[in-house]
Amino acid sequence: MNGVIIGYGTIAAGHTIGYQRTPGIDVVAVVDPTPARAAAARSVGLRAYTTFDQMLDHETPDFIDICTPPNTHADYIGLGLHHDLHVLCEKPVLMPHDGHYDHLLDQITAADKVFYPCHNYKFAPILATMQQVVHDPDFGDVLGARFRTLRRGHAVGVGEWNPHWRRDPLIAGGGILRDHGPHSVYLATHLTGRTPLAVSCLTGNMRHDHHTDTEDTAKLIIRCDGDVSIELDVTWAAGYRNSYYSIIGSAGTVTVENNDVQYSLGGNLHHDTLPSNFDDPQHSDWFAAMFADFLVKTQHPEQAAPLLAETLTTSLVIDAAYTSAAAEGRWVELQPCQQLLAGASR
């Protein structure tokens, strides 16, 4: 199976390495209008095109992998599905248009192709270990969770094209809540198995730099079914990097902090050290595992259905968080995801 990457920046370079490590799937070309990025793609053996239409004149891909900034995701998703291609898309995958997702959901559900979110943190081995602990019968029921992501600044893009686009609301659609927030949200639902019902959020600018059009810090509390609360803290204003994930069960606990895993099962405390690769911006090992999963989903498309619900839930939580923050943290009830998907499938 061959594919084309749309947008060749830092993440796309990591995707390229991931494809090289995944049997049965390959990427052969890129679409990027920036001459320097096209040259970078050619330097690793990929053909490069300026536009999507130009690419289709010369290539017959099975899928596209969208690695462009968020404000272009919807257009490229639509193009890929219109041309009968499987579609992968980097986060934030779904962006609301005029506050709604109806048109994009209609396109996705009507297509006979796999729509796959690049939720790569799910494929970090250290977090897979965490999931195994949570699913152990001795862990009991999930009672609560807290995730914390500290970074010393926003990820800087390639110098050839607007390196600080993550702080431009017209391109990014928000700040850290829209950029790194999705990782925390989809991980929370994936690892705990809980369904978000309502969100309370506060945001702010703590670094006091010249990027003030978007927030650099956010604190969310997500109220879920089963009376479970999930707390998420994300910031670009920290003095050091730290990645922390903790889940409490009725009979056990598990915590991941950077490369350390500590968990308690059956009254026994365990400690392991694993390379997390949280600080590797390209995450090529995670991508290899993710692309192998994508390949399975193209062979068994019925398995991809839950991914759309996960993607939509993630976006609805982020949208509700922004609404809450604008109202000084008041609780905002979430739209039922399944109702929106049912409406799109009719």
Side-chain angles (χ1 to χ4, degrees):
M1 178 176 285
N2 292 328
V4 171
I5 294 178
I6 313 298
Y8 196 72
T10 301
I11 291 297
H15 280 212
T16 301
I17 298 171
Y19 285 119
Q20 293 169 347
R21 298 176 180 177
T22 309
I25 191 169
D26 197 10
V27 61
V28 297
V30 304
V31 175
D32 197 307
T34 307
R37 300 316 302 161
R42 293 189 187 99
S43 72
V44 295
L46 302 176
R47 296 181 287 277
Y49 303 95
T50 303
T51 67
F52 191 90
D53 288 341
Q54 184 188 55
M55 178 273 294
L56 286 181
D57 287 340
H58 296 85
E59 307 287 345
T60 55
D62 301 296
F63 67 90
I64 59 170
D65 182 352
I66 302 168
C67 296
T68 55
N71 65 333
T72 63
H73 286 182
D75 289 341
Y76 281 119
I77 290 170
L79 278 172
L81 296 176
H82 175 73
H83 288 282
D84 204 29
L85 305 175
H86 300 297
V87 174
L88 299 96
C89 187
E90 265 293 337
K91 58 81 189 166
V93 181
L94 298 178
M95 297 285 286
H97 179 71
D98 293 334
H100 300 284
Y101 296 92
D102 302 9
H103 179 63
L104 197 53
L105 291 177
D106 286 342
Q107 289 178 294
I108 294 169
T109 55
D112 189 26
K113 292 296 177 179
V114 168
F115 175 74
Y116 192 95
C118 292
H119 288 172
N120 56 297
Y121 269 63
K122 289 164 51 177
F123 298 91
I126 198 168
L127 295 176
T129 297
M130 188 177 203
Q131 184 183 36
Q132 291 170 7
V133 175
V134 173
H135 287 177
D136 191 291
D138 289 337
F139 190 80
D141 296 328
V142 171
L143 300 180
R146 185 184 182 195
F147 297 175
R148 183 181 63 214
T149 302
L150 307 182
R151 297 293 184 263
R152 300 184 65 180
H154 60 276
V156 178
V158 293
E160 301 92 341
W161 188 88
N162 197 349
H164 299 292
W165 63 262
R166 283 178 174 84
R167 305 309 305 271
D168 185 336
L170 296 179
I171 297 175
I176 193 170
L177 189 54
R178 187 71 73 182
D179 183 70
H180 213 289
H183 287 315
S184 296
V185 174
Y186 71 68
L187 271 179
T189 58
H190 175 68
L191 292 174
T192 67
R194 297 296 181 175
T195 300
L197 302 176
V199 179
S200 174
C201 177
L202 294 173
T203 62
N205 281 288
M206 305 296 290
R207 183 166 288 282
H208 306 297
D209 56 18
H210 61 280
H211 299 292
T212 57
D213 290 336
T214 59
E215 80 288 347
D216 63 24
T217 302
K219 180 177 181 63
L220 295 74
I221 302 177
I222 305 174
R223 191 166 62 219
C224 301
D225 62 322
D227 200 28
V228 170
S229 288
I230 298 172
E231 296 184 34
L232 306 178
D233 299 304
V234 291
T235 185
W236 283 326
Y240 64 100
R241 290 180 66 95
N242 185 264
S243 300
Y244 175 92
Y245 307 90
S246 179
I247 301 176
I248 299 173
S250 57
T253 63
V254 58
T255 297
V256 167
E257 185 166 15
N258 300 322
N259 297 327
D260 293 323
V261 184
Q262 294 191 55
Y263 60 96
S264 175
L265 288 174
N268 297 312
L269 184 63
H270 304 266
H271 178 266
D272 290 318
T273 299
L274 298 171
S276 67
N277 292 325
F278 289 142
D279 296 338
D280 175 7
Q282 294 190 339
H283 304 309
S284 51
D285 288 339
W286 302 2
F287 288 137
M290 185 180 72
F291 295 144
D293 183 65
F294 165 68
L295 189 57
V296 170
K297 297 297 188 288
T298 63
Q299 297 163 350
H300 303 278
E302 71 282 357
Q303 296 180 13
L307 295 177
L308 179 55
E310 176 182 275
T311 305
L312 180 57
T313 296
T314 298
S315 293
L316 293 175
V317 168
I318 299 299
D319 294 344
Y322 276 116
T323 301
S324 173
E328 300 179 329
R330 73 171 174 85
W331 284 99
V332 175
E333 303 292 324
L334 290 175
Q335 285 185 276
C337 169
Q338 294 303 329
Q339 287 185 17
L340 291 175
L341 291 176
S345 63
R346 288 198 296 268

